[in-house]
């Protein structure tokens, strides 16, 4: 984490108050929540939807913070405390993060894309961690606030930083990339996430390609080469090089064999002969995520055995194809972190292909932020589901009803149930599911479908 004197911080963020009295106190670490103060922290208050962090500055310092920012328009600054008055606390935080990033001598890998950012981040960090001191985005801290906090929490001797960059509107990735200045940029795929803001998949592709705006000179872009919206734009890169990955053999990196187990996937790739890579997660889409991670690792000279070791020992962030057990012994795929049509299709395809269970059920919820075509997107997901491989389809939420309507084109009425109420859905599942059944849960973050998973894991 960052360690710096208040005088230096005052200079970096263009503090508005008199710095003389700040002295040479050194802060270590930054937090935005007074309930999580670490000794010596700089506390950065924000006005939120429910509360104003400025109300907790005094308490934060009493609890061990060395100093705090104070936004200039907030009345009654506690002049008796070590505060740095700033124009805007978010801008000050971001400026401090950018300054700290530029002090550190490390390789930065920036990851964006519609789906797979967090998974690819975890994979990349797991591989690089076998040979480097690595710092990675914690959870999903991937936006204008999360990325600066991630950078400020980095140890000064970090050798490789794996940073997730999320967005929902144009210009956001440019900002994040110019802040992080990656040596390697990864675009995992172009799906439909955030269509509401971006209007089209072309718009999504343009927004993801903003990651080039901060890519270092002679940096490398690793991208999903099966996506025409990307490959068509990257035929003649200027000032950076490219490496494509995908299923199609025209890519620089592609799998030559994929073998799915019950809880892991084994695959070989075109550039490394007679070598099997194993990932402790299912799904062809996760093989593709691994290819992006492998490509970045090879760029940084990680030897193949270390790549194999890193992937094999991977620990994924929760609720991404997470396999758990229910109270009856049923197998649950908790893929409930988020959902868009691309990721929903990938998860359904995966579940349909798994064997060894008496029944296989899908519990699918709303996919949010898809814009005016949202009902059609949901209906088309329902139409995709094959009764030959799926026993019953459950849906949750107002848009989930359209998945149910699409599924009824192939399923009989009694094998499709649409719910708006989690309790009724849980009751039905508890009555229906048996020990040798498999259930997939998937919906957008806003649906919090994990609450249903948790109910099946308790009496
Ligand atoms: C500023 C802040 O902390 N926001 C978080 C806070 O929001 P809320 O407004 O409810 O805060 P409060 O009103 O409760 O409190 C205000 C502040 O006061 C502090 N405080 C409060 C009480 C107290 O006793 N002491 C205090 O110090 C408090 O800490 C506040 O700072 O709480 C919400 C619920 O937990 C958080 O969700 C909210 O976090 C915001 C949304 C945020 O951006 N957090 C980042 C750190 C982050 O990275 N979060 C990620 C999710 C990022 C994300 O959604 N990414 C998108 C892509 C990017 C889209 C982009 N356009 C965008 O806008 O984000 C994706 O699809 O991945 C995460 O949490 O996982
Ligand atoms: N390459 C991929 N292609 C399609 N779907 C994917 C891919 N990788 C992951 N997914 C699916 O997307 C979901 C989210 O995965 P992950 O959290 O890694 O992506 P993310 O881009 O960080 O998501 P978000 O933007 O919602 O934070 C997973 O549950 C998985 O089902
Ligand atoms: C908050 C935003 N990044 C996100 O994850 N949106 C999804 C669609 C949701 O909120 O469910």
């Amino acid at each position: 984490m960052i360690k710096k004197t208040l005088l230096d911080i005052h200079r970096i963020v263009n503090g508005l108050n008199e710095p003389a009295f700040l002295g040479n106190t050194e802060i270590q670490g930054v937090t935005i929540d007074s309930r999580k103060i670490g000794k010596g922290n700089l506390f950065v208050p924000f006005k939120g939807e429910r509360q104003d962090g400025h109300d907790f500055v005094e308490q934060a310092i009493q609890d061990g913070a060395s100093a705090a920012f104070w936004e200039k328009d907030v009345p009654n600054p506690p002049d008796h405390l070590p505060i740095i008055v700033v124009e805007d606390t978010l801008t000050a935080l971001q400026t401090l993060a950018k300054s700290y990033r530029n002090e550190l001598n490390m390789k930065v890998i920036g990851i964006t894309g519609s789906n797979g950012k967090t998974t690819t981040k975890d994979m990349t960090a797991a591989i690089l961690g076998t040979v480097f001191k690595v710092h990675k985005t914690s959870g999903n801290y991937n936006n204008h606030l999360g990325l600066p906090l991630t950078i400020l929490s980095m140890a000064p001797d970090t050798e490789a930083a794996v940073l997730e960059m999320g967005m929902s509107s144009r210009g956001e990735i440019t900002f994040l990339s110019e802040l992080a200045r990656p040596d390697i940029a990864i675009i995992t795929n172009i799906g439909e996430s955030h269509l509401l803001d971006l209007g089209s998949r072309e718009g999504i592709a343009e927004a993801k390609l903003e990651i080039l705006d901060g890519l270092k000179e002679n940096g490398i872009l690793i991208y999903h080469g099966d996506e025409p919206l990307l490959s068509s734009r990257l035929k003649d890169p200027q000032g950076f090089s490219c490496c494509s990955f995908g299923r199609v053999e025209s890519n620089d990196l592609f799998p030559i064999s994929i073998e799915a187990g019950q809880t892991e996937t084994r695959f070989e790739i075109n550039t490394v002969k007679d070598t099997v890579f194993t990932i402790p997660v299912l799904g062809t889409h996760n093989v593709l995520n691994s290819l992006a991670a492998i490509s970045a690792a090879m760029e940084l000279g990680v030897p193949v055995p270390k790549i194999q070791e890193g992937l094999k020992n991977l620990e994924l962030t929760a609720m991404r194809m997470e396999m758990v057990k229910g109270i009856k012994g049923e197998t649950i795929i908790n893929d409930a972190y988020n959902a868009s049509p691309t990721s929903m299709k990938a998860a359904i395809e995966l579940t349909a292909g798994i064997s060894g269970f008496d029944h296989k059920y899908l519990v699918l919820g709303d996919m949010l932020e898809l814009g005016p075509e949202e009902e059609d997107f949901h209906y088309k997901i329902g139409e995709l589901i094959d009764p030959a491989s799926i026993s019953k389809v459950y849906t949750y939420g107002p848009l989930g009803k359209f998945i149910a309507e699409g599924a009824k084109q192939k399923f009989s009425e009694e094998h499709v149930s649409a719910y708006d109420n989690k309790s009724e859905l849980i009751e039905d599942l508890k009555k229906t599911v048996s020990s040798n059944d498999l259930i997939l849960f998937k919906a957008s973050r806003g649906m919090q479908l994990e609450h249903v998973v948790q109910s099946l894991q308790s009496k």
Side-chain angles (χ1 to χ4, degrees), residues 385-458:
I385 305 168
D386 183 353
S389 56
I390 298 298
S391 312
K392 180 165 183 179
V393 179
Y394 295 86
T395 70
Y396 170 65
L399 289 170
K401 283 191 174 60
F402 295 96
I403 296 177
E405 288 313 306
K408 285 174 184 171
Q409 302 314 302
K410 294 178 187 168
F411 284 79
S412 54
E413 286 279 333
E414 68 272 19
H415 292 109
V416 180
S417 295
Y419 286 96
D420 274 324
N421 177 306
K422 281 180 182 172
S423 305
E424 291 168 10
L425 169 59
I426 291 164
E427 190 183 341
D428 187 346
L429 286 169
K430 284 193 167 184
K431 275 193 302 196
T432 307
V433 166
S434 300
S435 58
N436 193 38
D437 292 344
L438 175 68
I439 321 170
L440 167 72
F441 287 86
K442 191 163 188 64
S444 265
R445 182 79 319 259
M447 306 308 286
Q448 297 186 302
L449 204 53
E450 65 275 12
H451 296 162
V452 180
V453 175
Q454 288 150 12
S455 297
L456 292 185
Q457 293 178 297
S458 54

Side-chain angles (χ1 to χ4, degrees), residues 140 167-168 194 337-339 366-369 443-447:
N140 198 54
M167 48 71 67
S168 58
H194 309 306
Y337 176 74
N338 218 337
D366 293 6
M367 299 177 286
L368 305 178
E369 300 182 33
S444 265
R445 182 79 319 259
M447 306 308 286

Side-chain angles (χ1 to χ4, degrees), residues 160-182:
V162 186
L163 304 176
E164 183 176 332
M165 299 179 185
M167 48 71 67
S168 58
S169 302
R170 285 181 180 76
E172 292 181 358
I173 295 296
T174 294
F175 176 81
L176 297 177
S177 187
E178 288 179 345
L179 195 163
R181 294 182 53 245

